[in-house]
Amino acid sequence: MNERTLSSNEDITEEENEILDENGTIGQKEKLALYSRSIAISVSQGLVGPFVSMIAIRNMNASGSDLGWLQSIANLLLTFLNPIFGRMSDILRRRIPFIVISTVSWGIPYIFLYWVKSPISIIIIVALVNLFGSLGVSSWGALQNELFPPRVRAKLSSRVFWYNAFGNMIATFFTGIVLTLVFGDLDYQKYILIPVVLGIVLSAIGVLPFIAIEEPLKKIKKEDQPVSRKLRESFSLSYKNKPFRNFVFFSMIYSFFWSFAWPLFPIKQVIILKASALEIAILNILFSVTTLLFINIGAKISDNVGRTKMIFFSRIIMATFPLLYIFASSVWQLYIIHFIVSSLVTLGMPSVQAYLLDIAPEREGGIYFGIYNMITGLFLFFGSLVSGYLVDYLKISYGIELALTIGLGISFLGRFISSFLFLFMKEQKAFPSSLGQILQQLKLRRIRAP
């Protein structure tokens, strides 16, 4: 376990001071690189990602099992090889090359969306997209682990989330709203090369600032640098790290029921409620808007009162999402659901990343992030796959609407029950305030307000 996370009044180390600016955050070059990459990749993903399922349903009559495979393969290949790539970055003591190569290459397979004519072809393309994307996942988390001082991890993590959301909102606004208003309800497959090529170019531009920054691992002593271990040994040691083991165990159970609903949402949107591309774009933009509005508030709460309570809060709120989808009878109701649930869930998002940073040893950040991503990714894979096939099976006897209701109900119950597991997690450091004190301060401010 990372011993530095156990001290409640730890000072920033000499190495951290080298990359901190006068405001107590990371230096300008590091900020530019992190935020530039975050915006670039989220814009690129937002130009294409939200509409892949729509293309599969509208143009190729994709079934629930097809959508299940689409989600499952994406989850699996984005995460399964993370331990290998994470260990490679630990051994080489370099994070930036993995991040750069992944960011530039991940969108290239999307070019072939223009020619595909079957759901299986889209599944293969999405598989390649996520395989290239997985190359940099562990290194991205490990780099933040090395750059972010423990006392402001949630704050700095939230900024990365903020720029991700901002970029995604820009992209979805352009493809889903501007183009739709100008050209009508587009057949996105016919015009897919435009956003894909634009996304690839933006991704390449977005990683240029990494040229100006130095690997954080080069600034620390040799004895503090990542340990090169065999994968088997790394898995064994991570299992002995009790906070990490518990977090992974709880997360993998929740992940199954979390992804269980993913293939069902586009079915509800497109098949049941007949949502247009414009309406789907608005639904995605609402996620981004709530992140921009509330992510920094969630980070401040996390850095003041702790991670575990906020993780539980976000998980149990997220359980209501499939439940509310069951009762939605129009797209405008989905707008309300997305805004309210996402606003509350966003408050807990920084705590998840910050807690993982707290429990992952800095000398082995790459492999720990890789192990976490791989194990949870496996359960994300099976959740979406089981869901897709279950709905296809049930709709034969009960029809698509009742089958969808059963699937969403299973996701709700699973999410709700497994969210209570996160209450058993323990904080890895002391925090200056309690949640009760924060609420009391807010109450006093309201009373004193004129």
Side-chain angles (χ1 to χ4, degrees):
M1 180 166 34
N2 182 4
E3 294 180 353
R4 292 181 57 201
T5 61
L6 299 179
S7 172
S8 60
N9 295 307
E10 63 184 351
D11 295 324
I12 298 177
T13 66
E14 185 176 335
E15 290 78 25
E16 287 168 341
N17 270 322
E18 293 180 13
I19 57 173
L20 298 181
D21 63 15
E22 66 277 5
N23 296 316
T25 60
I26 59 176
Q28 293 298 325
K29 291 181 179 180
E30 285 76 16
K31 282 197 289 188
L32 177 61
L34 290 174
Y35 302 157
S36 172
R37 190 261 186 186
S38 296
I39 291 179
I41 199 166
S42 59
V43 168
S44 303
Q45 291 171 341
L47 288 170
V48 184
F51 308 103
V52 172
S53 293
M54 173 179 280
I55 292 172
I57 293 173
R58 284 187 174 181
N59 296 39
M60 296 155 206
N61 297 315
S63 65
S65 55
D66 291 330
L67 294 175
W69 274 107
L70 189 67
Q71 292 286 350
S72 297
I73 289 296
N75 298 333
L76 183 67
L77 292 183
L78 185 63
T79 58
F80 190 72
L81 296 178
N82 280 186
I84 295 176
F85 296 141
R87 181 170 181 266
M88 288 172 60
S89 72
D90 283 345
I91 292 174
L92 297 174
R93 292 168 171 76
R94 302 193 70 182
R95 315 296 189 192
I96 294 175
F98 290 88
I99 295 170
V100 170
I101 294 172
S102 172
T103 305
V104 172
S105 66
W106 73 272
I108 294 175
Y110 271 147
I111 292 173
F112 297 96
L113 279 174
Y114 180 78
W115 292 280
V116 298
K117 296 181 179 180
S118 67
I120 186 65
S121 300
I122 290 186
I123 292 170
I124 293 172
I125 290 171
V126 170
L128 292 173
V129 166
N130 285 277
L131 182 62
F132 290 143
S134 72
L135 180 64
V137 170
S138 296
S139 294
W140 181 243
L143 181 67
Q144 293 176 61
N145 192 29
E146 291 149 5
L147 288 176
F148 296 171
R151 67 182 178 87
V152 287
R153 274 178 175 155
K155 175 184 176 181
L156 296 176
S157 295
S158 73
R159 291 182 181 175
V160 174
F161 281 123
W162 194 94
Y163 282 99
N164 266 315
F166 182 71
N168 187 268
M169 185 178 67
I170 292 174
T172 310
F173 181 82
F174 176 74
T175 55
I177 295 182
V178 175
L179 292 184
T180 301
L181 292 177
V182 174
F183 299 107
D185 198 13
L186 290 173
D187 178 356
Y188 274 89
Q189 189 175 12
K190 291 182 180 180
Y191 301 94
I192 200 67
L193 290 179
I194 297 174
V196 168
V197 172
L198 180 60
I200 294 171
V201 172
L202 289 174
S203 295
I205 295 173
V207 293
L208 289 178
F210 279 97
I211 297 174
I213 71 171
E214 189 177 5
E215 291 277 356
L217 294 177
K218 291 184 178 181
K219 299 180 180 181
I220 63 178
K221 299 175 182 178
K222 186 176 181 180
E223 59 268 23
D224 293 328
Q225 291 186 357
V227 180
S228 300
R229 291 193 176 97
K230 295 181 180 179
L231 279 176
R232 187 174 181 179
E233 184 181 1
S234 295
F235 271 88
S236 177
L237 288 173
S238 69
Y239 181 80
K240 294 176 182 177
N241 182 331
K242 188 175 179 180
F244 181 79
R245 182 179 72 231
N246 289 343
F247 188 54
V248 171
F249 177 70
F250 300 155
S251 296
M252 71 186 192
I253 296 174
Y254 193 89
S255 294
F256 178 86
F257 295 104
W258 188 16
S259 67
F260 198 92
W262 291 353
L264 311 183
F265 292 143
I267 294 175
K268 180 77 174 188
Q269 295 165 358
V270 179
I271 295 179
I272 305 299
L273 301 182
K274 309 297 183 184
S276 66
L278 174 62
E279 290 168 330
I280 289 176
I282 294 173
L283 289 173
N284 282 280
I285 287 173
L286 287 173
F287 280 129
S288 300
V289 169
T290 56
T291 301
L292 295 175
L293 291 175
F294 300 110
I295 193 75
N296 289 329
I297 298 174
K300 290 177 182 179
I301 295 173
S302 178
D303 281 335
N304 278 279
V305 307
R307 326 292 192 200
T308 58
K309 298 181 186 69
M310 296 304 297
I311 293 174
F312 166 72
F313 175 77
S314 68
R315 292 295 186 247
I316 201 165
I317 291 297
M318 203 182 297
T320 66
F321 200 65
L323 177 65
L324 294 171
Y325 250 70
I326 292 175
F327 298 103
S329 57
S330 62
V331 176
W332 72 264
Q333 292 176 352
L334 293 185
Y335 293 159
I336 298 173
I337 293 169
H338 277 232
F339 183 81
I340 294 176
V341 175
S342 181
S343 296
L344 296 173
V345 169
T346 297
L347 293 174
M349 284 171 55
S351 294
V352 177
Q353 177 76 357
Y355 188 76
L356 188 56
L357 291 171
D358 287 344
I359 60 180
E362 292 183 14
R363 297 180 67 194
E364 299 175 78
I367 186 65
Y368 268 71
F369 276 90
I371 292 171
Y372 171 80
N373 290 331
M374 185 198 77
I375 295 176
T376 55
L378 278 172
F379 282 80
L380 291 172
F381 169 82
F382 287 115
S384 293
L385 197 60
V386 171
S387 170
Y389 277 101
L390 178 65
V391 169
D392 271 359
Y393 174 76
L394 291 175
K395 76 177 182 181
I396 296 173
S397 301
Y398 302 109
I400 185 62
E401 292 199 39
L402 182 55
L404 196 65
T405 298
I406 294 171
L408 290 170
I410 292 172
S411 177
F412 159 69
L413 287 174
R415 289 184 185 191
F416 181 80
I417 295 171
S418 59
S419 64
F420 286 91
L421 292 171
F422 293 95
L423 290 176
F424 292 96
M425 297 191 311
K426 294 182 179 179
E427 298 288 2
Q428 299 303 294
K429 53 184 283 188
F431 292 89
S433 304
S434 68
L435 187 58
Q437 289 173 328
I438 296 292
L439 294 175
Q440 185 64 27
Q441 290 173 7
L442 292 174
K443 185 178 179 181
L444 288 174
R445 287 178 185 176
R446 288 176 183 171
I447 293 173
R448 291 171 183 171

